[in-house]
Amino acid sequence: MIRLRSLVAVSTALVFATGPVAAQQQPAPPPSTAPSPAQTNPLPTTTAPNPVADPTKSAAPAPQQAIAPPPAGQAAVGTPGRPTLIEKPGEPGDVDEVTLPAKPAAILSGKTKWEEAIVNLRQAFARIEADLAKAGIAPAGRPLAVFTRTDDDGFEFEAMIPVAAPPSPAPAEADGLRFGTTPSGKALRFPHKGSYESIDGTYETLTAYLDAKDIVVQDRFIEEYATDLKDGTDDNLDVNIFALVK
């Protein structure tokens, strides 16, 4: 089962410290064996996410807004060549201090069980791609998932795909899709290269690094998929994990 429980709620026990960051120069201590804070102290959320509408899954959808599947024949996500938020790629094992730009984006909120994360994230990205195509709006960046709340059962998220510019006038929110901006500001980038099933190891490194450096971060984390999110065993997956510094 794919689990991301280590990705959120680390900020509540951390204190901000300034200065350059480089994991190669400052090796992170071994991960703590203590239970994840998310098990007993899930983060608050400031969003009103839409549950995933999929009757074959165990996540219970809310009646007002649900993520519908893409039209028949629509590919999930196939976005080679689109730029990442930070042009220079990171290296596994490195920690980079970066400044994320605020980019206009199409956004769809949702929630999922841990074991259904990849399926429902892919479905959300496909839905955004399909709606952008209908509106004649070209995507201009890699897909993002902003994790806004976690608990033992699953997590809430905002799926985003950057666009060159939001439509003007802005269309009315349809089926939960809206336009806004990607998270911005000072952040730490932790690259992950390897299967999604092994991403917990990168989050453990992230948590240990923040703890060792006494850095406090915002109550959300960002995953940017520099390569397409296919399945949990794809060893060619390239993900940028961003922790927004308070």
Side-chain angles (χ1 to χ4, degrees):
M1 181 179 71
I2 298 171
R3 301 190 306 165
L4 309 180
R5 293 190 178 95
S6 58
L7 76 109
V8 182
V10 298
S11 62
T12 56
L14 303 177
V15 180
F16 175 73
T18 59
V21 291
Q24 291 179 332
Q25 297 177 4
Q26 299 287 342
S32 171
T33 58
S36 169
Q39 296 177 4
T40 57
N41 185 28
L43 294 174
T45 176
T46 57
T47 62
N50 310 314
V52 178
D54 188 342
T56 65
K57 303 299 182 181
S58 56
Q64 69 274 20
Q65 290 181 349
I67 299 177
Q74 173 73 36
V77 179
T79 56
R82 295 181 190 171
T84 53
L85 293 174
I86 303 300
E87 182 177 353
K88 183 179 178 181
E91 293 295 332
D94 285 352
V95 182
D96 301 314
E97 185 175 289
V98 299
T99 300
L100 295 178
K103 292 191 174 183
I107 304 170
L108 189 65
S109 298
K111 68 179 181 181
T112 181
K113 299 290 187 180
W114 292 108
E115 62 270 19
E116 299 161 3
I118 291 180
V119 171
N120 289 327
L121 286 172
R122 281 171 50 85
Q123 180 175 286
F125 294 140
R127 200 8 240 298
I128 297 174
E129 294 269 354
D131 284 356
L132 289 178
K134 289 179 183 178
I137 300 172
R142 299 297 307 179
L144 306 161
V146 181
F147 299 91
T148 56
R149 183 183 175 93
T150 68
D151 57 33
D152 286 342
D153 293 328
F155 61 90
E156 298 174 357
F157 65 90
E158 291 181 334
M160 302 183 180
I161 294 183
V163 296
S168 181
E173 184 173 320
D175 297 326
L177 185 71
R178 66 188 188 278
F179 288 88
T181 58
T182 60
S184 61
K186 183 183 293 186
L188 300 176
R189 178 176 61 178
F190 296 77
H192 171 77
K193 295 187 178 181
S195 71
Y196 204 67
E197 290 180 345
S198 65
I199 202 168
D200 273 355
T202 303
Y203 277 106
E204 289 170 358
T205 299
L206 179 157
T207 302
Y209 185 88
L210 297 178
D211 191 23
K213 294 290 185 179
D214 292 329
I215 300 173
V216 67
V217 295
Q218 296 182 24
D219 293 344
R220 56 180 176 165
F221 286 83
I222 305 162
E223 288 182 1
E224 179 187 40
Y225 307 102
T227 59
D228 293 344
L229 185 61
K230 298 177 181 178
D231 58 55
T233 62
D234 178 17
D235 289 330
N236 295 317
L237 182 65
D238 189 351
V239 183
N240 292 313
I241 301 172
F242 296 102
L244 292 160
V245 178
K246 281 188 176 180

